[in-house]
Each structure stands twice: as structure tokens, then as C-alpha cells.
Amino acid sequence: MSFPTSYDHLVRLAFDPGVSPKGGGLPGLDVLRTVVNSINLFGIVAVVGALAVSLGVWAWGHHTGGHQAEANGKKGAVVSAGAALGLGAANGIVAFFSALGSQVR
């Protein structure tokens, strides 16, 4: 079966479209980076507050015998620590998986 040349070009394009991320291609990229950095900073500040509240609830529950409050304080502390880890590592996680994805052939 013979296909036109344009079909062969489309088949090759489907396997390797030749698209890769490049900086500076769109206007406003610096503004977007600033906004994302600000959102990340806001998240980190919120996590610090959540961690402080969770640790206070944990201590209050422990000293008053409130087992439910103590358990909730522990859960809040663990979730806050996990959120801090995720926020701090977000750039590295995305860079890792982006590099891993670029190796797929």
C-alpha cells in the first residue's frame, strides 16, 4: 500500500515532534516565575504557622489528657512537615521528572 509523502511526514512527526522546553519563548515568563515563587513562599509561611499551631495542640492535648487533641496535633505536625518537604523540593522534583521524561525514546 502506497501513501502520499505528506502521510509519511505526519507519521515521523507523531514519533518525534521536535518539541522541547526553551526559556524566553513567551513574554511574561519572568512575571510567571515571580508569581510562582511568591506562591511557594506563601505556602512555606502558611506551613510554618500550621506547624506551630499543630505543635501547640499536641502539647496542650498531652498536658490536659485530651487524647483526641494530642492525636490531631501529631497528625497536623506530620502533615505540615510533609508539606514543607514538598514545597522545598518542588523545583527539584519537577526537574528530576522532566529530565527523566526527556530520556524516553
Side-chain angles (χ1 to χ4, degrees):
M1 178 182 250
S2 174
F3 293 106
T5 307
S6 62
Y7 179 77
D8 292 336
H9 178 70
L10 285 175
V11 169
R12 274 187 251 118
L13 187 62
F15 289 112
D16 183 15
V19 176
S20 62
K22 293 182 182 171
L26 289 174
L29 189 57
D30 291 332
V31 173
L32 182 62
R33 281 189 184 129
T34 302
V35 169
V36 171
N37 287 338
S38 298
I39 291 170
N40 195 357
L41 176 63
F42 179 79
I44 289 172
V45 170
V47 165
V48 169
L51 183 60
V53 169
S54 296
L55 293 175
V57 169
W58 185 356
W60 176 75
H62 177 74
H63 289 294
T64 62
H67 300 292
Q68 186 69 31
E70 184 179 2
N72 286 336
K74 287 179 186 179
K75 283 189 275 187
V78 170
V79 168
S80 297
L85 178 66
L87 288 168
N91 197 36
I93 291 168
V94 170
F96 172 77
F97 282 106
S98 178
L100 192 64
S102 68
Q103 295 176 4
V104 174
R105 300 278 178 220

